[in-house]
Amino acid sequence: MKRALILVTIVGLTLAGCGFGKSRLNPVNWFGKRHPSEHVAAYVRPTDPRGLIDTVLTLKVEAIASGVIVRATGLPPTQGFWDASLVALPDDGSGHLVYEFRISPPVTPTPPGTQVSREITAATSITNFKLDGVSVIEVRGAQNALSAHS
């Protein structure tokens, strides 16, 4: 047991002495230098296959301890729309946050139904950090947009 402890200590001290410099004893340097690729790929935001809700009916911004909750209610043309969310557009630094109210269409044709049965609500939270310098929060639909001013 003493021999194993001494052996582990010696091996540990030897490896610790290699460091991450240019030593040939350092295993990181055994296979030559690796250069980062010269080609830089640009990040392309995937397109959202969901469409915009027809009409944004209401927009509420409620304060919470960590920021705000943005809640919007919209009206699609028929029942059966699903997968609703508020999708943030890239921030241009103007103090104007813009969200698109996106929804997926029904899988099968559905009847129009009453307005109350078609209403869809989506919400998102915005942190105090992101709210710094923001004066307007806007939610867009296909036919209109609603905004809240701070």
Side-chain angles (χ1 to χ4, degrees):
M1 170 118 168
K2 287 184 181 182
R3 288 183 186 176
L5 182 61
I6 292 172
L7 181 63
V8 168
T9 304
I10 291 172
V11 169
L13 290 174
T14 303
L15 288 177
C18 291
F20 287 99
K22 296 181 180 181
S23 170
R24 284 188 234 165
L25 298 176
N26 185 348
V28 174
N29 295 329
W30 287 356
F31 303 105
K33 291 190 175 187
R34 294 183 183 161
H35 298 287
S37 175
E38 301 263 336
H39 303 285
V40 177
Y43 174 74
V44 177
R45 177 177 280 216
T47 58
D48 194 335
R50 300 175 296 172
L52 292 174
I53 197 153
D54 277 359
T55 307
V56 180
L57 299 175
T58 63
L59 173 63
K60 294 180 182 176
V61 179
E62 302 169 5
I64 58 174
S66 61
V68 296
I69 295 177
V70 178
R71 183 177 304 143
T73 301
L75 188 65
T78 65
Q79 296 178 349
F81 280 79
W82 57 288
D83 193 21
S85 64
L86 299 177
V87 178
L89 294 181
D91 187 7
D92 62 0
S94 67
H96 193 94
L97 288 180
V98 180
Y99 289 87
E100 290 181 335
F101 196 139
R102 296 228 168 240
I103 53 173
S104 293
V107 177
T108 59
T110 57
T114 64
Q115 177 176 333
V116 174
S117 69
R118 292 182 293 163
E119 290 181 359
I120 297 177
T121 300
T124 189
S125 62
I126 306 172
T127 64
N128 285 325
F129 180 75
K130 184 160 178 127
L131 281 173
D132 189 33
V134 172
S135 59
V136 177
I137 298 172
E138 179 180 323
V139 175
R140 293 181 183 169
Q143 298 180 14
N144 72 334
L146 296 179
S147 59
H149 302 271
S150 61

